[in-house]
Amino acid sequence: RKWRESESWIFSWCRYPFLLSAEAKAKLVEIDARFQMTRNAILSSINTSLPFLVIVVKRDTLIQDTLSHLMPYVIHKDRSIELKKPLRVVFQGEEAVDEGGVRKEFFLLVVRQLMDLDYGMFVPLETGGGSSSSDNNGDNNNEEESRYVWFSKSASSSDEELMRAYQLVGLIIGLAIYNGVVLDLKFPQLVWDKLLETSNITNTNSNNSNNSHTGMSPRSGDNLTVWKKKFELFTRTWPELSKNFQYLLSYKPNSSQPGETFEDVFGLNFTVTFIHFGEVITHELKPNGKEINVTLSNREEYVKLYVKWLMYDSISDSFSAFSTGFWACVSAGEDTNNTNHQNNSHNKNHSILTMFRAEELERMVLGEEDWNFHELEAVAKYVEPYNKDTEVVRFFWDFLHGMSKEQQKKFLFFVTGSDRVPIRGLGKMKFVIQKTGG
């Protein structure tokens, strides 16, 4: 815990996260979660409150019930410590006891509903970008473009219900991390990078120093390093649009056609258009942008403003709500660990997760695509009349090891709700084989 005390002289590896592997950091998260959950359970026994965070929901009103249970912990920061208690889920009218399976099903169903394109919060990430981008689930049949989703550009902070839903997405991710559940999310890595930006952390590991999007201003005083990093992230997220911009920036007038101007070739102005549920919306990148042509002299400003709008401004309200929900959970109770902290706001600066790089946080939340079922077999537990040498058990493992990668992926999804495994491997999962029914 001494690493959280900024003036502490005691050595801690946590002060040098660039020396730690993603697996080691995941182990720290696990230890931190266990510590906080144990502490909260003890405090609950003293205060005669429940040692668990219990959520009772109905299947047909799942999102509404989840919002009503969890949002008070975001709104009232003094109650956010409850989010660090072990989660227990009850589906109203069902007798199942939550030993982990019900909790995983809950996360699976909530994420599936919130990420549903028909819900309107997220849209297919079109690699081509904004001028032809769509904020609905239209006719996007490109498998590569449909691989990821992005925040709706039309979401506004004036829609309080929608903002609460975005907060819930962030909150669910935080709860999943601290309850050891892998989520099936389709976010590009840029989302995790932006999420770590909002922690306001500057350290050598996260590479977030001077990482505010304000550094992308096309005005004088630009931070060239920041701009290059942002454009690299942009290129990975919107590769086709990036190629178009690179062509735009490198274009040289054709001397053989002296009458042809840059404006004639590209015909652009300082606007961007997108489609929201069939309606064409035009956004001006700067005041009076419709009347300002993109020229050789201002094309760099145009690209920077476009990239900044696409990565930040167009989703500022929705992403702010999303990050608020996330940090409300993962930073819950951190203030109590630092006696020098003078206010009760969510103390992002002392969350374990600020040690992660974007790609490591992504692996932590989404899990790994590589697995070894021999690791799962080694840690499997059995309930009588089964044991590791029972004939049917031996047949099961032989059959599982002989499956194709795609079949194993489906098996994983069937038993865990995700076709990925925790960052520390199948050997860290709880897997029990027992007889059911008569």
Side-chain angles (χ1 to χ4, degrees):
R1 287 309 195 189
K2 293 299 181 182
W3 76 277
R4 286 195 167 104
E5 300 173 14
S6 58
E7 298 180 359
S8 175
W9 54 268
I10 298 178
F11 175 82
S12 171
W13 286 108
C14 296
R15 296 185 185 278
Y16 309 96
F18 58 90
L19 296 175
L20 302 176
S21 67
E23 291 73 18
K25 293 174 187 177
K27 179 63 176 178
L28 285 174
V29 171
E30 181 184 318
I31 293 172
D32 184 60
R34 191 183 308 127
F35 169 81
Q36 294 203 48
M37 289 179 177
T38 301
R39 181 192 62 183
N40 294 341
I42 294 174
L43 291 175
S44 296
S45 64
I46 296 174
N47 300 329
T48 66
S49 60
L50 290 174
F52 303 106
L53 174 61
V54 180
I55 300 178
V56 181
V57 295
K58 298 178 182 177
R59 290 184 181 271
D60 56 353
T61 55
L62 179 62
I63 301 301
Q64 295 90 327
D65 293 346
T66 304
L67 277 167
S68 64
H69 273 284
L70 295 180
M71 290 315 295
Y73 302 120
V74 178
I75 298 171
H76 304 289
K77 296 180 178 64
D78 57 330
R79 297 181 58 192
S80 66
I81 190 65
E82 297 290 314
L83 296 170
K84 288 294 180 69
K85 290 181 178 181
L87 180 64
R88 293 290 183 270
V89 178
V90 177
F91 283 103
Q92 192 167 316
E94 301 179 20
E95 297 182 359
V97 177
D98 189 3
E99 294 294 340
V102 177
R103 183 171 65 241
K104 287 182 178 180
E105 184 186 10
F106 165 77
F107 280 109
L108 173 66
L109 294 176
V110 169
V111 167
R112 182 179 294 171
Q113 288 192 32
L114 290 173
M115 303 299 290
D116 190 325
L117 299 182
D118 291 335
Y119 210 73
M121 296 172 60
F122 300 96
V123 296
L125 178 65
E126 296 181 336
T127 59
S131 60
S132 60
S133 66
S134 172
D135 251 19
N136 64 326
N137 57 353
D139 298 323
N140 184 2
N141 296 319
N142 187 307
E143 181 178 349
E144 180 63 25
E145 291 192 350
S146 300
R147 180 181 177 187
Y148 296 116
V149 297
W150 190 244
F151 293 74
S152 172
K153 302 182 189 72
S154 59
S156 170
S157 59
S158 61
D159 189 337
E160 295 183 2
E161 183 178 350
L162 184 59
M163 292 302 105
R164 284 195 294 270
Y166 279 115
Q167 286 183 335
L168 180 60
V169 176
L171 190 58
I172 287 295
I173 294 174
L175 283 173
I177 290 174
Y178 275 90
N179 283 274
V181 177
V182 173
L183 298 180
D184 183 27
L185 294 172
K186 305 300 182 184
F187 289 142
Q189 191 180 104
L190 176 59
V191 168
W192 310 109
D193 187 90
K194 283 169 59 64
L195 199 53
L196 289 176
E197 279 185 17
T198 62
S199 71
N200 297 319
I201 284 297
T202 300
N203 60 50
T204 55
N205 175 64
S206 65
N207 292 322
N208 284 332
S209 179
N210 297 320
N211 218 18
S212 169
H213 70 271
T214 57
M216 296 179 63
S217 168
R219 306 299 180 190
S220 60
D222 280 4
N223 185 319
L224 186 59
T225 302
V226 171
W227 164 246
K228 287 182 177 180
K229 173 176 168 52
K230 297 303 179 187
F231 199 77
E232 288 174 3
L233 289 169
F234 175 82
T235 298
R236 289 203 300 266
T237 311
W238 291 278
E240 293 302 319
L241 185 58
S242 173
K243 290 178 184 177
N244 293 339
F245 282 160
Q246 288 169 352
Y247 176 71
L248 178 74
L249 293 171
S250 62
Y251 175 81
K252 295 180 180 179
N254 191 342
S255 59
S256 64
Q257 296 178 320
E260 185 179 70
T261 65
F262 181 92
E263 292 91 318
D264 292 333
V265 174
F266 293 99
L268 297 171
N269 57 25
F270 277 73
T271 63
V272 57
T273 61
F274 61 95
I275 302 172
H276 176 62
F277 288 102
E279 179 185 359
V280 178
I281 299 175
T282 299
H283 171 78
E284 293 185 320
L285 295 173
K286 60 189 302 185
N288 204 32
K290 291 181 181 179
E291 307 301 324
I292 304 175
N293 291 328
V294 179
T295 65
L296 276 171
S297 60
N298 65 17
R299 57 183 173 177
E300 184 175 339
E301 179 188 10
Y302 167 76
V303 171
K304 287 187 176 182
L305 286 173
Y306 197 123
V307 171
K308 178 174 175 286
W309 174 82
L310 196 55
M311 291 176 64
Y312 293 95
D313 298 344
S314 63
I315 62 167
S316 60
D317 291 345
S318 55
F319 198 89
S320 176
F322 167 72
S323 63
T324 295
F326 177 79
W327 290 112
C329 179
V330 302
S331 299
E334 302 294 354
D335 302 328
T336 61
N337 296 319
N338 186 353
T339 56
N340 295 323
H341 195 65
Q342 297 299 316
N343 59 61
N344 68 344
S345 62
H346 297 304
N347 188 9
K348 303 172 186 176
N349 290 26
H350 295 106
S351 169
I352 288 279
L353 293 181
T354 57
M355 295 193 300
F356 282 65
R357 296 193 301 269
E359 59 270 25
E360 294 172 336
L361 180 59
E362 180 180 39
R363 290 172 59 195
M364 184 74 190
V365 176
L366 306 185
E368 306 275 21
E369 291 184 312
D370 295 324
W371 54 76
N372 181 351
F373 276 104
H374 290 285
E375 294 179 357
L376 185 64
E377 182 179 3
V379 298
K381 304 295 182 183
Y382 305 93
V383 176
E384 291 291 344
Y386 299 130
N387 60 58
K388 65 183 182 64
D389 297 317
T390 304
E391 183 178 7
V392 68
V393 171
R394 293 306 326 148
F395 175 79
F396 166 76
W397 288 115
D398 291 342
F399 182 75
L400 186 59
H401 295 317
M403 284 181 172
S404 66
K405 185 83 171 180
E406 193 60 32
Q407 289 172 325
Q408 289 181 340
K409 180 182 290 189
K410 291 179 179 179
F411 173 80
L412 266 178
F413 189 85
F414 174 74
V415 297
T416 69
S418 173
D419 57 10
R420 295 186 175 215
V421 301
I423 191 172
R424 299 178 62 222
L426 285 172
K428 301 302 177 181
M429 287 182 60
K430 180 181 180 181
F431 189 75
V432 178
I433 296 179
Q434 63 185 22
K435 188 176 182 180
T436 60

